[in-house]
Amino acid sequence: MNDRSAQRLAMLQEALTSGGTLHVRDAAELCGVSEMTIRRDVTTQPSAISLLGGRLVMANYPGVTPVYDLTEQQASHYQIKHRLCQRVVSFIEEGDTLFIDCGSTLIPLLSQLSHFRELTVVTYALNVANAVATLSNVRLVLLGGLFYASSQSFGSDGMRAAIERLGINKALISAAGVDCERGVSCFHFHEVAPKQAAIATAMQRLLIVDASKFGLVRPAYFAALSDFDIVVTDDEHAPELLDCLPKASLSVTVA
Amino acid sequence: MNDRSAQRLAMLQEALTSGGTLHVRDAAELCGVSEMTIRRDVTTQPSAISLLGGRLVMANYPGVTPVYDLTEQQASHYQIKHRLCQRVVSFIEEGDTLFIDCGSTLIPLLSQLSHFRELTVVTYALNVANAVATLSNVRLVLLGGLFYASSQSFGSDGMRAAIERLGINKALISAAGVDCERGVSCFHFHEVAPKQAAIATAMQRLLIVDASKFGLVRPAYFAALSDFDIVVTDDEHAPELLDCLPKASLSVTVA
DNA sequence: GCGTTAATGTTAAAATTATAACATTCAGTG
DNA sequence: CACTGAATGTTATAATTTTAACATTAACGC
């Protein structure tokens, strides 16, 4: 609420921009005030910095740990997505060029890619790129464009063409809705072009969806279920649900 | 060093993948062991998880706070860069389309962009994109391509053309070396094309360099000093150093 | 200058977290 | 089955962090 307080916060924020933590003790010295003042600065007004065990850390800073606790529900969600991704890993082979879709479903996959010797990942999602950027064994190709915050991904005119020019091996696609008759859909229209392009060029197409997505139809339709070679899901009833499919070659894997 | 210990770590790691923190108390419950065991798991062996004020946080996870303390030196560097960026802000106008270069110099600028009503930022750097992605008032255009970890930025064939197609207002360029006679240079060759393209299309060209860069020549030359309209630096002697320039229109600002 | 109020500083107590030492459990062996 | 050693649990203690109450300082208007 104070002018100087705001200034200090800005200063600390910048000190923390590139990650790392700062002890309140050091922050106090840096700003030339007492620890208590630093605490108050950070506590009494909403800011990007939070206090964790005596250290300042960026709360919501780009690509930095948001400091909030996991709810039990969230933790269980991770469990599901993790299991799905474990299954997906088994389809990946050394040297593959993977297209990885946006969303949260495939995030747990990325830490598991470090076990390979050499891979290439193509994506149009910022969070995927961030995760892959830390892996020294994975070549990262990010398809840029205008950023859409809602899906943490990029979109551009040339994306379809850019994807089709790449030698993508396997397309790992996620979705917000899967319906036997109405096909596979997502929320955002700018995701349609990259998803379709990846499906068109990839040699193998995997759809990864957790059970909650079945029977749902979302605004942006992008593929038929028969466009996929493999469906990875945690739904025990998925095989029956997908029975409606004519294409016999579709393989369903329940994680 | 234990089988079960490793398993627990993996489990916790996954719970933390998408950011967030986990209290040792909760982690203990989640794993069905005592807090002490969790502490030992995390402490006694090298792992991606670290313990911060009673909570588990990912240490080096993609886009997540690495948990180490800032050195005093680092902190003072931020001070300098922050001051430079404060000066740069004064050149920015409402509605501008800014090209923002890669590197650490311009990072402190980004948090100050939130004061504007509406801006567009064009960049080819991942860390810049991450910072801008959190600002709702800034349109972000990321130029993608193959990722270069050394500079946290992307490079591609089409980048030069892509940049020249954009209506960039002001180019904010950083450099690793500035020399009167040998011009302005950087470390990585893939940065040359985007920098040059931005300089070519922008209406106003700013070079932002701290004092330590003067007199240095780096492998990749990309511009002459006379290509810039404004030089923002913290070196008091900069005006003299830049005296060698023939072009009178070059404006030097000492932060 | 004086009074008023907001901002900051100081201190001591409370709460929390970390550490160390020792107790217990468990798996594997002879 | 007892022995062994690693792994885990328990407890008490030490260190640290947080909070709250109050003291001090600085800023501002009259």
Side-chain angles (χ1 to χ4, degrees):
Chain A
M1 293 289 174
N2 190 354
D3 204 39
R4 269 185 236 167
S5 168
Q7 236 178 316
R8 283 192 300 267
L9 271 175
M11 184 172 162
L12 294 171
Q13 200 161 326
E14 281 130 33
L16 295 167
T17 15
S18 70
T21 71
L22 196 56
H23 200 105
V24 267
R25 190 190 308 111
D26 302 332
E29 193 183 351
L30 195 70
C31 296
V33 294
S34 73
E35 289 190 26
M36 194 67 225
T37 301
I38 298 290
R39 278 175 195 284
R40 278 196 273 244
D41 283 348
V42 173
T43 313
T44 61
Q45 59 201 299
S47 88
I49 298 175
S50 58
L51 198 48
L52 190 51
R55 285 144 196 270
L56 302 177
V57 304
M58 287 304 260
N60 292 313
Y61 197 79
V64 166
T65 317
V67 178
Y68 50 77
D69 285 313
L70 297 168
T71 64
E72 204 159 322
Q73 194 194 26
Q74 279 178 312
S76 85
H77 262 270
Y78 295 134
Q79 301 266 24
I80 291 173
K81 285 174 180 166
H82 174 227
R83 252 181 304 149
L84 290 180
C85 288
Q86 272 186 321
R87 199 51 179 271
V88 173
V89 174
S90 67
F91 291 106
I92 298 174
E93 290 164 297
E94 196 60 66
D96 269 348
T97 296
L98 306 169
F99 175 89
I100 300 188
D101 210 346
C102 64
S104 62
T105 306
L106 292 167
I107 297 296
L109 175 69
L110 306 172
S111 63
Q112 298 179 55
L113 296 183
S114 59
H115 304 126
F116 291 87
R117 209 168 42 72
E118 192 255 316
L119 291 172
T120 302
V121 163
V122 177
T123 187
Y124 64 110
L126 183 59
N127 52 354
V128 173
N130 276 320
V132 175
T134 61
L135 306 172
S136 59
N137 60 322
V138 182
R139 206 188 328 276
L140 166 64
V141 176
L142 176 60
L143 302 155
L146 181 62
F147 182 67
Y148 294 90
S150 54
S151 61
Q152 292 283 302
S153 63
F154 299 92
S156 81
D157 280 356
M159 196 172 286
R160 192 182 291 264
I163 291 172
E164 286 171 351
R165 221 177 303 126
L166 296 166
I168 292 172
N169 224 334
K170 284 161 190 161
L172 276 44
I173 308 287
S174 61
V178 178
D179 186 86
C180 282
E181 290 162 27
R182 318 266 302 269
V184 191
S185 54
C186 60
F187 282 109
H188 309 285
F189 292 99
H190 71 271
E191 299 177 24
V192 172
K195 282 176 203 272
Q196 287 186 340
I199 292 171
T201 55
M203 297 171 64
Q204 199 172 34
R205 292 153 278 259
L206 286 81
L207 177 66
I208 300 99
V209 280
D210 64 74
S212 69
K213 311 292 171 60
F214 281 96
L216 297 176
V217 179
R218 302 302 190 188
Y221 167 89
F222 65 87
L225 254 170
S226 58
D227 290 330
F228 293 93
D229 304 299
I230 296 165
V231 177
V232 178
T233 183
D234 63 318
D235 192 335
E236 301 168 18
H237 306 300
E240 305 152 34
L241 287 168
L242 299 174
D243 256 359
C244 57
L245 284 171
K247 196 175 179 187
S249 64
L250 184 71
S251 143
V252 175
T253 299
V254 177
Chain B
M1 293 287 169
N2 192 354
D3 205 38
R4 271 185 231 163
S5 168
Q7 238 178 312
R8 283 193 299 266
L9 271 175
M11 184 170 165
L12 295 171
Q13 201 160 326
E14 282 131 31
L16 294 167
T17 15
S18 73
T21 71
L22 197 57
H23 199 104
V24 268
R25 192 189 307 113
D26 302 332
E29 192 183 351
L30 197 69
C31 296
V33 295
S34 73
E35 290 190 25
M36 193 67 225
T37 301
I38 298 290
R39 280 176 193 284
R40 277 196 275 245
D41 283 348
V42 173
T43 313
T44 61
Q45 59 201 299
S47 88
I49 297 175
S50 59
L51 200 47
L52 189 51
R55 286 143 197 270
L56 303 176
V57 305
M58 287 304 260
N60 292 312
Y61 196 78
V64 168
T65 317
V67 179
Y68 51 77
D69 286 313
L70 296 169
T71 65
E72 203 161 324
Q73 196 194 25
Q74 280 178 311
S76 85
H77 264 270
Y78 293 132
Q79 300 263 30
I80 292 172
K81 286 173 179 165
H82 174 222
R83 253 180 305 149
L84 290 180
C85 288
Q86 272 185 320
R87 200 51 181 269
V88 173
V89 174
S90 66
F91 292 105
I92 299 174
E93 291 163 296
E94 197 59 68
D96 270 348
T97 295
L98 306 169
F99 175 90
I100 299 189
D101 209 348
C102 65
S104 61
T105 306
L106 293 167
I107 297 296
L109 175 70
L110 306 171
S111 62
Q112 299 179 53
L113 297 183
S114 59
H115 305 124
F116 291 87
R117 211 169 39 73
E118 193 255 317
L119 292 171
T120 302
V121 164
V122 177
T123 188
Y124 64 109
L126 183 59
N127 50 356
V128 173
N130 276 319
V132 175
T134 60
L135 305 173
S136 58
N137 60 321
V138 182
R139 204 188 329 277
L140 166 64
V141 176
L142 176 61
L143 302 155
L146 181 62
F147 181 67
Y148 294 89
S150 53
S151 60
Q152 292 283 304
S153 63
F154 299 93
S156 80
D157 280 356
M159 197 172 285
R160 192 183 291 263
I163 291 173
E164 286 171 352
R165 222 178 302 125
L166 297 167
I168 292 173
N169 225 335
K170 285 162 189 160
L172 276 45
I173 308 288
S174 61
V178 177
D179 186 85
C180 282
E181 289 163 27
R182 319 269 300 270
V184 191
S185 54
C186 60
F187 282 109
H188 309 286
F189 292 99
H190 71 270
E191 299 176 23
V192 172
K195 282 175 204 272
Q196 288 185 342
I199 291 170
T201 55
M203 297 170 64
Q204 198 173 33
R205 292 153 278 261
L206 286 81
L207 177 66
I208 300 99
V209 280
D210 65 74
S212 69
K213 311 292 171 58
F214 282 96
L216 298 176
V217 179
R218 302 302 190 189
Y221 167 88
F222 65 87
L225 255 171
S226 57
D227 290 332
F228 294 93
D229 303 299
I230 296 166
V231 177
V232 178
T233 184
D234 63 318
D235 192 336
E236 303 167 18
H237 307 299
E240 306 152 33
L241 287 168
L242 299 174
D243 257 359
C244 58
L245 283 171
K247 196 175 179 187
S249 64
L250 183 71
S251 144
V252 175
T253 300
V254 177

